[in-house]
Amino acid sequence: MDSSPLVPGMTLAQQGKTPFPGESEAYRKAREALLAEEIELRRHLTRVTEQRRALPPGPVIEKNYRFKDANGRELGLLDLFGNHDALVTYFWMYGPQRERPCPMCTNWLGAVNGNGADIKQRVALKILGRSPVERQLAFAVERGWRNLDFVQTVGDDYADDLGLIAADESERPALTVFKRDGDKVRLFWASEMNEKMADPGQDPRDAPDIAPLWSILDLTPSGRGTDWYPKLSY
């Protein structure tokens, strides 16, 4: 890795240029200050990524969780890796008690589907749900998703152990990354931010926020808003 000293963000920001004429001095000054912060944010995100990759080996997954794939085969966690050494899983809120899936999960999975073929060149990607895999696939067909691999959790051990099912049978999602270690599976990283960690006035969110929806809305004058969420249909 290049160890050259970093140029201060404010110095780099002075190279910025508004693409249209007519800006005020106040706009340029404020935009340069913002650009300096954006440069520092990019650097901080890079440091976080490097710190994540440097995590010590996580715990070995000792429990024999079982899953059912689209072909009806019952598989273990190690089987979900295919020929990859890393496995990204997303447990989505589409349990058998739900008539329709969670709109927020649906929104995120739609974006992931668009990148699914590329992602699977590097790592295994599986979408886990408590509903029968046939039911999950039917919804995928409805949405036109072709690049996501849906897997049914056999029994509720996996969801229960991750604390994903509430007493009223409602669910919460989980983004979890596993690493192959020979013939064993280790936890690499799991999202641990919960609603108790949310800052005042904010909904619970991870950092970085991996949903393109919010990242794009954050670029706009009114932001993501406080009383709006995506729907399954409009």
Side-chain angles (χ1 to χ4, degrees):
M1 184 176 178
D2 191 345
S3 58
S4 302
L6 296 177
V7 177
M10 184 56 76
T11 300
L12 293 175
Q14 292 171 1
Q15 302 177 32
K17 182 180 179 181
T18 304
F20 301 103
E23 68 175 356
S24 66
E25 182 179 347
Y27 181 91
R28 174 53 20 208
K29 183 177 180 180
R31 185 63 188 95
E32 282 187 4
L34 173 60
L35 181 54
E37 291 294 329
E38 291 170 341
I39 291 169
E40 293 304 326
L41 174 61
R42 181 191 63 195
R43 290 172 172 175
H44 187 75
L45 290 174
T46 299
R47 291 195 297 271
V48 169
T49 299
E50 293 169 349
Q51 187 174 355
R52 184 182 297 113
R53 290 201 303 266
L55 284 169
V60 172
I61 309 303
E62 300 286 2
K63 201 161 190 176
N64 185 25
Y65 297 113
R66 308 304 294 172
F67 307 91
K68 182 180 177 183
D69 70 7
N71 296 316
R73 297 176 300 177
E74 187 168 312
L75 307 171
L77 190 57
L78 186 61
D79 299 315
L80 300 184
F81 282 75
N83 61 353
H84 292 291
D85 291 327
L87 166 66
V88 178
T89 67
Y90 182 75
F91 179 92
W92 69 316
M93 298 163 61
Y94 192 21
Q97 84 287 358
R98 296 187 68 109
E99 182 177 348
R100 302 285 281 168
C102 164
M104 295 284 283
C105 291
T106 300
N107 174 272
W108 187 73
L109 288 178
V112 176
N113 173 74
N115 289 276
D118 297 315
I119 293 170
K120 289 186 288 186
Q121 300 303 306
R122 298 277 298 169
V123 299
L125 174 65
K126 303 295 182 184
I127 313 304
L128 313 179
R130 294 171 62 224
S131 278
V133 66
E134 296 83 4
R135 186 171 187 241
Q136 299 182 61
L137 290 171
F139 185 78
V141 171
E142 177 185 327
R143 304 297 289 199
W145 295 341
R146 297 192 299 270
N147 297 316
L148 298 178
D149 299 329
F150 290 87
V151 177
Q152 175 186 346
T153 56
V154 177
D156 283 338
D157 282 359
Y158 182 85
D160 283 336
D161 289 350
L162 270 67
L164 305 180
I165 307 176
D168 62 357
E169 285 295 301
S170 63
E171 301 163 312
R172 68 177 184 86
L175 180 62
T176 311
V177 182
F178 298 98
K179 183 177 181 179
R180 186 200 300 269
D181 184 2
D183 61 352
K184 299 181 183 299
V185 175
R186 290 183 181 273
L187 174 69
F188 174 71
W189 175 90
S191 171
E192 296 187 12
M193 290 192 191
N194 57 43
E195 60 278 1
K196 296 179 182 179
M197 301 179 191
D199 289 332
Q202 292 186 351
D203 286 336
R205 66 178 76 164
D206 277 323
D209 197 328
I210 58 174
L213 167 69
W214 304 126
S215 296
I216 291 174
L217 291 181
D218 280 343
L219 298 174
T220 67
S222 58
R224 59 182 68 188
T226 59
D227 58 356
W228 180 89
Y229 292 94
K231 300 178 181 178
L232 293 180
S233 60
Y234 297 95

